[in-house]
Amino acid sequence: MSRYEGGESYFNELDSLVKSNTKLMIEYIKNIVKKEKCYDVILSGEIGEAYGKIYDQMEQLQVNTHGIRIHLIPGGLRNGTDISRLLDHTLNGKQAIFLDDSFYSGKTFHEVYKFAINNGCRIKAVYVFYDGSKENDTFINVHSLYRYYDYHK
């Protein structure tokens, strides 16, 4: 990672490292749901697809999924993918965690937030592997394993 100076190439490399580490992904989601006492997790895009594959394999092998229920929505939300008509009735009346690979401007979160509201759900917490936002957003309160601007001012 030291060969990258930040920017998109830095975060693309970090993204690849996360998605290639199944153990990290499983341990992170297990710790999140345990801490929040909330087992419905909304995921989008490539990180959602990666978790979907992991959990499909775990179920096929009858490995404990720790009661975690994942809800996958399409990627590309920050670029305008429309999910306004997407329904997930299993979220109605529940709280959920939004887990994503990264957080920058909050565009993806705001689309997921609208999706949750449209499905009668409340986002309890937002977790990411890495946070690349320059400012901490107190409304969203993102929890991350790594916050870029804590180390690169």
Side-chain angles (χ1 to χ4, degrees):
M1 293 299 299
S2 61
R3 68 178 177 234
Y4 298 98
E5 299 275 333
E8 190 171 346
S9 61
Y10 182 87
F11 288 106
N12 286 341
E13 183 66 19
L14 196 52
D15 192 47
S16 294
L17 292 171
V18 166
K19 291 176 190 159
S20 66
N21 191 333
T22 301
K23 184 175 179 172
L24 170 67
M25 291 175 65
I26 291 170
E27 290 303 315
Y28 194 41
I29 199 170
K30 280 174 35 183
N31 287 323
I32 291 168
V33 299
K34 182 178 178 184
K35 178 182 177 187
E36 297 294 337
K37 296 176 178 55
C38 179
Y39 294 88
D40 287 281
V41 181
I42 299 172
L43 299 133
S44 72
E46 290 180 13
I47 197 76
E49 291 170 9
Y51 269 109
K53 287 177 185 172
I54 291 168
Y55 273 76
D56 285 347
Q57 291 170 352
M58 290 173 74
E59 287 176 347
Q60 287 173 2
L61 297 171
Q62 298 181 340
V63 175
N64 185 357
T65 57
H66 308 280
I68 298 168
R69 294 173 298 274
I70 59 174
H71 305 267
L72 303 178
I73 58 178
L77 300 178
R78 66 184 161 93
N79 296 322
T81 298
D82 183 14
I83 59 169
S84 61
R85 293 192 173 115
L86 186 62
L87 296 177
D88 184 341
H89 298 291
T90 63
L91 287 169
N92 191 21
K94 294 184 179 177
Q95 296 183 67
I97 297 163
F98 174 51
L99 172 59
D100 205 0
D101 52 0
S102 60
F103 182 89
Y104 297 102
S105 65
K107 288 181 183 177
T108 300
F109 167 76
H110 287 290
E111 292 303 314
V112 170
Y113 180 80
K114 289 189 280 187
F115 163 79
I117 295 297
N118 289 342
N119 284 278
C121 177
R122 183 176 82 78
I123 300 293
K124 181 176 184 178
V126 178
Y127 282 82
V128 296
F129 287 91
Y130 46 93
D131 180 352
S133 63
K134 290 186 178 186
E135 304 289 325
N136 282 326
D137 188 324
T138 56
F139 170 72
I140 300 173
N141 191 21
V142 176
H143 304 275
S144 64
L145 289 178
Y146 176 74
R147 188 169 192 295
Y148 182 81
Y149 287 102
D150 285 351
Y151 302 95
H152 305 275
K153 304 268 178 190

